[in-house]
């Protein structure tokens, strides 16, 4: 009886620790997201102020005449609501990061290629491909320039990807996509082995003993 109480208390403590850790990861993701949105919005407004100062100079006027297409793209960019633009970019980055984290966690990739790597290796295996794909997506769907898309996605990825991966690791057991087929295969083998050991005779041994 005492052992059952101890076991129940231990399981309850483990469950509370898991919930507490999950809530801490969610809070960390929310804080990182708010910080990243603030930084990107500040960068956009800072670039807008520099652009308006630049176009007032003689060099800026010459740039407008020589590179009218690039200038029109910049004017269109800074005519947007920059805060909403930063939110749209981060909304995509968060969804993509959670999706990548869940898929990686389910396929044993998080523990192999993310948790066990640091520095340049983590950047090369995880961050660089994610930033490249995010830059391409933002450039093609939001019609931003390559430089603007890469800066926004890079800032968002550096601040949001790691907390999102940690939240995703709390949602699923590690390698669940591989464990389910393996467990199914082991159960099938166990069932086949049991069927082979089962006597082929239709007579029940208990009935024979009773008749004797």
């Amino acid at each position: 009886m005492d052992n059952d109480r101890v076991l129940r208390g231990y399981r309850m403590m483990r469950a509370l620790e898991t919930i507490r850790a999950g809530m801490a990861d969610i809070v960390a993701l929310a804080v990182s997201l708010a910080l990243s949105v603030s930084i990107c919005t500040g960068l956009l407004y800072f670039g807008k102020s520099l652009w308006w100062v630049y176009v007032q100079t003689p060099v800026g006027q010459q740039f407008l005449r020589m590179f009218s297409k690039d200038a029109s793209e910049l004017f269109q960019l800074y005519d947007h609501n920059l805060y909403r633009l930063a939110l749209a970019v981060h909304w995509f980055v968060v969804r993509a990061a959670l999706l990548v984290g869940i898929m990686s966690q389910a396929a044993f990739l998080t523990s192999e290629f993310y948790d066990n790597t640091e520095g340049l290796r983590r950047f090369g295996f995880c961050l660089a491909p994610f930033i490249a794909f995010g830059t391409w997506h933002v450039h093609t769907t939001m019609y931003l320039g390559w430089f603007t898309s890469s800066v926004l996605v890079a800032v968002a990825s550096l601040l949001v990807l790691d907390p999102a991966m940690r939240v995703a690791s709390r949602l699923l057991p590690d390698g669940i996509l591989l464990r389910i087929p393996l467990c199914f295969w082991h159960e099938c083998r166990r069932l086949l082995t049991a069927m082979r050991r089962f006597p082929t005779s239709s007579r029940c041994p208990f009935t024979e003993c009773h008749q004797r």
Side-chain angles (χ1 to χ4, degrees):
M1 190 67 180
D2 293 336
N3 292 333
D4 293 339
R5 291 181 179 178
V6 172
L7 183 60
R8 290 177 183 175
Y10 175 75
R11 289 177 178 176
M12 186 175 294
M13 290 181 61
R14 289 291 302 272
L16 291 176
E17 289 178 0
T18 303
I19 294 173
R20 189 182 300 111
M23 294 299 296
D25 291 336
I26 293 174
V27 171
L29 176 60
V31 172
S32 300
L33 180 61
L35 179 62
S36 182
V37 171
S38 302
I39 292 175
C40 289
T41 304
L43 289 175
L44 288 172
Y45 277 105
F46 180 70
K48 182 178 181 179
S49 61
L50 289 180
W51 170 249
W52 285 112
V53 171
Y54 175 72
V55 296
Q56 303 300 324
T57 62
V59 179
Q61 295 295 324
Q62 186 177 2
F63 177 84
L64 294 178
R65 291 191 298 269
M66 296 179 62
F67 304 98
S68 58
K69 183 178 179 181
D70 296 334
S72 63
E73 291 180 356
L74 288 173
F75 278 119
Q76 291 177 2
L77 169 65
Y78 291 127
D79 284 340
H80 287 86
N81 188 327
L82 300 182
Y83 175 69
R84 291 184 178 180
L85 179 62
L87 280 180
V89 173
H90 283 77
W91 174 238
F92 161 74
V93 170
V94 168
R95 288 183 300 166
L98 289 175
L99 180 61
V100 170
I102 290 173
M103 294 177 62
S104 301
Q105 180 71 13
F108 270 123
L109 297 178
T110 301
S111 58
E112 293 295 331
F113 295 100
Y114 190 80
D115 293 338
N116 295 330
T117 57
E118 294 180 356
L120 294 177
R121 292 183 61 187
R122 176 177 290 186
F123 181 82
F125 281 115
C126 304
L127 281 173
F130 186 82
I131 292 173
F133 172 75
T135 301
W136 172 81
H137 179 81
V138 171
H139 173 73
T140 54
T141 58
M142 300 182 185
Y143 305 104
L144 300 179
W146 284 106
F147 178 76
T148 304
S149 302
S150 61
V151 170
L152 294 178
V153 173
V155 172
S157 301
L158 289 173
L159 294 177
V160 173
L161 182 60
D162 186 68
M165 295 287 287
R166 296 185 183 278
V167 170
S169 65
R170 301 285 181 184
L171 298 177
L172 291 176
D174 194 14
I176 189 172
L177 287 181
L178 300 179
R179 289 181 180 181
I180 291 177
L182 289 176
C183 292
F184 180 75
W185 170 247
H186 287 305
E187 288 297 324
C188 290
R189 290 186 60 184
R190 187 178 65 84
L191 181 61
L192 290 174
T193 303
M195 291 176 63
R196 290 172 182 173
R197 293 179 180 177
F198 194 82
T200 57
S201 176
S202 60
R203 294 180 300 176
C204 179
F206 296 103
T207 305
E208 293 180 357
C209 293
H210 181 69
Q211 291 177 355
R212 292 178 184 177

